[in-house]
Each structure stands twice: as structure tokens, then as C-alpha cells.
Amino acid sequence: MKRNLNILHYCLYVIDSKLHFFFNKINPALLLYKIPYIKKRMKNKYGIKNPIEFYNDFWTDKKTGFGLIFSGGWLIGIVGLIFISLGIIAIDIINPKLVLNKYYLISLGIFSYLICYFLVFKNDQYLKYFEEFKDWSIVEKRKNVLSGIGFIFGVIVLFFSSLLYFN
């Protein structure tokens, strides 16, 4: 389970990084950094020599990057959706008259965070897995990313089917 969560986390990180670099190509705000005055100001005031490179490092850094925060949030959300869906199905099978309240959802959110924390984030364990997964071949990386996307769609289908058929 630990390895599978780290594979999913890495796939989410790769997808986020690829989307970041794709949107950089069509982002008109990045053209501001090509203006000589702004380049000079960034260098003099903040010590940033290449603002676009700084922006990419800020987003894709594997230790403290903004994209890493997004992929971690997506991972927690996916695990939370699995627990909520399975909880709805189980409660509907056991006692159909029982209504879920906000405390149930909050406790499942905390539980999914704790699972992700101890299996992925604690002591930056994901960095060890990122180094291992970095050596994947292109075919293996594509296969794992596509299976990760399929898994995410499966979780979404499970969630909506639990809402539609079990309520």
C-alpha cells in the first residue's frame, strides 16, 4: 500500500509538472519577465537572475515546490474519496436509514490525511521513492501515469455511484 500511494503521488506530481510547463508556453504573464526593466529590478531587489527559471524551480521543486503541495492535496483527496465512498456503501448496506453527518466526513478526512502522512509525507519518505521512480523508462512512466489516471477516474466513478445507487 505504501509503494502504491507513493507511485500515485509521483504520477500526480509528474502530471502537475507537465501541465505547468505546458501552460508556461501559453502564459502571457511570463512575457513580463522578458522586459529589461523587470529583469533588472528582480536581479537588484531580490537577487533573482532568471525570473522564469526561479518560477519553474518554485513550482517543481521536489522538496518544497508548490506543485508538490498540490499533488499531496490531490493524494489526500483521492484517499478521502475512497473512504467516503466505501463508508456510504457500507452504511447503506448495514443501516439504510442512517444519515451521515459532518463529523463522519471530518473524521474520514483526518483519517485519510493521517494515512497519507505516515505512508508518504513523514520524514520526506516520498523523496526516496521519487529517486527510484525517476529511473523509469518512458514506456514504464507512461504506463504508470495512465494507470494512475485510470485509478483516479475509477475513484470518481465509485464516489458518484455510491451517491446515486446507495442513497
Side-chain angles (χ1 to χ4, degrees), residues 2-151:
K2 181 177 186 177
R3 183 171 173 78
N4 290 335
L5 275 177
N6 278 292
I7 288 173
L8 183 61
H9 185 233
Y10 181 73
C11 291
L12 289 169
Y13 175 77
V14 167
I15 291 168
D16 185 67
S17 296
K18 295 293 182 184
L19 285 174
H20 166 74
F21 286 119
F22 172 73
F23 285 116
N24 274 356
K25 294 180 190 225
I26 61 173
N27 188 354
L30 292 180
L31 293 175
L32 291 173
Y33 293 129
K34 294 186 178 187
I35 298 172
Y37 171 76
I38 294 178
K39 273 187 179 180
K40 184 179 176 184
R41 180 175 170 90
M42 293 290 280
K43 184 178 180 185
N44 292 339
K45 189 169 185 179
Y46 303 110
I48 299 172
K49 295 178 184 172
N50 188 351
I52 295 175
E53 187 177 307
F54 174 77
Y55 174 66
N56 288 337
D57 287 342
F58 169 76
W59 195 271
T60 60
D61 184 34
K62 290 182 180 174
K63 185 106 170 127
T64 59
F66 205 63
L68 184 70
I69 295 169
F70 275 135
S71 61
W74 279 104
L75 181 68
I76 293 168
I78 290 167
V79 172
L81 272 181
I82 291 171
F83 285 132
I84 290 171
S85 303
L86 294 177
I88 290 172
I89 292 170
I91 287 175
D92 252 8
I93 290 172
I94 295 170
N95 187 1
K97 301 211 187 297
L98 185 64
V99 178
L100 302 177
N101 57 17
K102 63 183 175 186
Y103 301 113
Y104 170 76
L105 298 176
I106 291 171
S107 65
L108 283 180
I110 292 171
F111 186 64
S112 65
Y113 172 77
L114 290 174
I115 285 177
C116 290
Y117 175 75
F118 286 114
L119 296 179
V120 178
F121 305 125
K122 185 177 180 184
N123 298 328
D124 295 333
Q125 297 174 45
Y126 65 90
L127 290 175
K128 179 183 76 169
Y129 286 99
F130 276 25
E131 286 298 316
E132 177 186 340
F133 301 151
K134 180 177 70 172
D135 297 332
W136 282 344
S137 67
I138 300 287
V139 174
E140 194 174 8
K141 192 179 284 189
R142 283 183 185 157
K143 180 187 77 152
N144 285 323
V145 167
L146 289 175
S147 65
I149 291 171
F151 178 75

